[in-house]
Amino acid sequence: MRYEQNQKKKKGKWRSVLMVILVLLIAGTGYSYYQYKQGVNQSLKKVSKTDKVVYTFDGKKDQYGDTNILMLGSDARGNEVSRADTIMIAHYNENKGTYKLTSIMRDSYIDIPGYGKHKINSAFARGGPDLMRKTIKENFDIDLQYYAIVHFQGFVQLIDEAFPDGVKIDVEKAMSKNIGVSLKPGVQRLNGKEMLGYVRFRHDAIGDFGRVKRQQQAVKAIGDQLTSINTIPKIPKLIGVITPYINTNMKTSDIIFMSTNYFSKREGPVETLRIPVDNSYTNQRIYGEGAVLAIDVAKNREALHQFIKK
C-alpha cells in the first residue's frame, strides 16, 4: 500500500515538472516569435515592399555531412537581374560542431554549365542561385543545401541593430572611393553604413584580394563581438530585422537553430578559406570579360575539400 502511494507521489511530481517545462517552452517560443516579428516590422518601415523572386534550388548536404549555405551579396534594385557582388559558402557540420567560411573571388574564370567559361559571378545573373550551385558543384565537387541572397541594406540594418555603438575593427588604410563613406586608418567603431563601405572597398593595389580579406575579417569581428554580449535572446529579433532584405530557401526555425547553436557552442575563431588559393591562378585579360583570374580548378578543388573535411 505504501509502495503504491510512493509511486503515485513520484508520478505526480513528474507531471508537475513536465507541466513546468511545457509552460516554459511555450513561453519561450512565444517570446521568440514576438521578438522576431518586432524585428521584421522594424525593417519593413524602412524597405519598400517588393515580391521576392521564388527560385528553384535542388540542393543537398555534401559528402562529408556538412550543411553548406551559398551566401550571395547583392545590390540589385527590386527584381532586377545582377551579378553577385559577394560569393561565400558557410559550412556547418552539426556532428562536429564546426563552422567554416569559404570566399570565392567573383572574377574566378571557370566553366558555367551551359554557357562555357565566364567569371563565376555571372552565373547568378544567368540562372540565379541554382546555376551558381551547379557551377560550384561542377568545378569543385561540393554540394550546397541552401542559399541566402542578402541585400546590402540588410547588412547595414543588422549591424546597427546588433551594435548600437558600432563594430570595433582596425581599418588598415584610408578608404573612400565608391563606397559612400570616408574611413580613416586606425582602430575604431563602425556603424552599419561604414562597415558596408569597409567590406566593399577595392580601389587599391590589391583590389578584390583585399576586399575578400576584409570581408572575412569583418565576419570574424562581428561573430566575436556578438559572442561577447548577451546574444542568444537577441537572435530572433536580429533574424527578423534582416528577413525583409534576404531571399532564402531556409526556414526561419533552421536559421534560429544554427545561430543559437553557433553562439552557445562555438569554440575558437571561424576558419576561413579563399578561392583561388595562393599559387593557383594567373591574371589574364579576356575579350568580352575584361580582367579575370584564370584558376587551376583541380588545385582549388583539392584545397576546398581538405579545408572542409579536416
Side-chain angles (χ1 to χ4, degrees):
M1 191 74 174
R2 196 174 290 174
Y3 173 79
E4 291 176 354
Q5 288 177 341
N6 287 335
Q7 288 298 105
K8 286 181 180 180
K9 285 182 180 179
K10 287 181 180 180
K11 287 181 180 178
K13 286 180 180 179
W14 275 112
R15 286 196 193 99
S16 298
V17 171
L18 289 173
M19 284 299 294
V20 170
I21 292 173
L22 183 60
V23 169
L24 289 174
L25 286 173
I26 293 172
T29 301
Y31 174 78
S32 296
Y33 180 74
Y34 172 75
Q35 290 291 310
Y36 168 76
K37 291 300 291 184
Q38 266 202 329
V40 170
N41 292 333
Q42 180 176 310
S43 287
L44 285 177
K45 294 176 183 177
K46 302 175 183 179
V47 65
S48 57
K49 177 66 176 173
T50 57
D51 293 328
K52 290 180 180 178
V53 179
V54 178
Y55 292 106
T56 298
F57 195 82
D58 188 20
K60 61 181 180 180
K61 286 189 175 184
D62 68 23
Q63 58 268 56
Y64 306 113
D66 284 79
T67 295
N68 295 318
I69 306 165
L70 173 64
M71 300 194 301
L72 303 172
S74 171
D75 199 20
R77 301 296 191 271
N79 292 336
E80 73 179 18
V81 176
S82 67
R83 295 190 174 204
D85 191 77
T86 300
I87 305 168
M88 290 182 170
I89 305 172
H91 312 278
Y92 168 60
N93 189 300
E94 186 176 357
N95 293 330
K96 296 179 182 177
T98 56
Y99 296 81
K100 300 179 182 180
L101 184 70
T102 296
S103 295
I104 302 179
M105 297 190 66
R106 62 184 185 174
D107 289 342
S108 298
Y109 191 61
I110 58 178
D111 283 312
I112 297 177
Y115 294 92
K117 295 196 76 167
H118 295 279
K119 292 181 182 180
I120 189 172
N121 69 337
S122 71
F124 178 59
R126 297 172 193 276
D130 201 52
L131 183 57
M132 185 69 79
R133 176 192 65 79
K134 291 176 181 176
T135 300
I136 291 171
K137 173 64 176 176
E138 179 174 295
N139 288 274
F140 304 112
D141 192 28
I142 289 294
D143 286 298
L144 308 173
Q145 189 170 3
Y146 299 112
Y147 74 86
I149 305 166
V150 183
H151 191 280
F152 289 134
Q153 190 57 34
F155 175 81
V156 172
Q157 297 301 325
L158 181 65
I159 294 300
D160 287 342
E161 177 64 32
F163 302 97
D165 298 323
V167 178
K168 186 178 180 181
I169 201 153
D170 188 1
V171 179
E172 68 270 24
K173 64 182 71 177
M175 303 176 189
S176 61
K177 188 174 180 180
N178 294 343
I179 60 173
V181 294
S182 293
L183 303 178
K184 296 179 180 179
V187 177
Q188 56 202 282
R189 291 190 175 274
L190 304 183
N191 62 27
K193 187 177 180 180
E194 291 166 338
M195 278 296 294
L196 180 61
Y198 175 76
V199 300
R200 296 194 73 186
F201 179 76
R202 63 188 182 94
H203 293 279
D204 59 7
I206 54 177
D208 261 353
F209 285 91
R211 190 174 70 102
V212 167
K213 183 178 179 181
R214 281 187 289 276
Q215 287 173 353
Q216 293 186 340
Q217 287 175 335
V219 169
K220 289 179 179 179
I222 291 166
D224 290 343
Q225 289 170 54
L226 276 173
T227 304
S228 67
I229 62 178
N230 192 15
T231 301
I232 293 177
K234 294 184 177 182
I235 287 174
K237 186 175 183 181
L238 294 178
I239 291 172
V241 165
I242 201 172
T243 292
Y245 299 96
I246 190 171
N247 186 327
T248 182
N249 63 337
M250 294 183 70
K251 294 179 180 178
T252 301
S253 57
D254 290 336
I255 298 174
I256 292 175
F257 169 77
M258 288 186 189
S259 301
T260 303
N261 205 42
Y262 170 80
F263 289 114
S264 62
K265 297 181 179 180
R266 172 174 88 97
E267 294 182 5
V270 174
E271 292 184 66
T272 59
L273 177 73
R274 185 205 70 211
I275 288 180
V277 297
D278 291 340
N279 304 314
S280 72
Y281 65 91
T282 57
N283 292 292
Q284 296 184 11
R285 294 198 70 85
I286 304 293
Y287 178 77
E289 294 280 347
V292 304
L293 297 173
I295 75 171
D296 182 331
V297 172
K299 190 170 185 177
N300 282 282
R301 182 192 303 125
E302 177 63 20
L304 179 57
H305 281 253
Q306 290 297 326
F307 174 69
I308 294 174
K309 67 185 183 181
K310 68 179 179 181

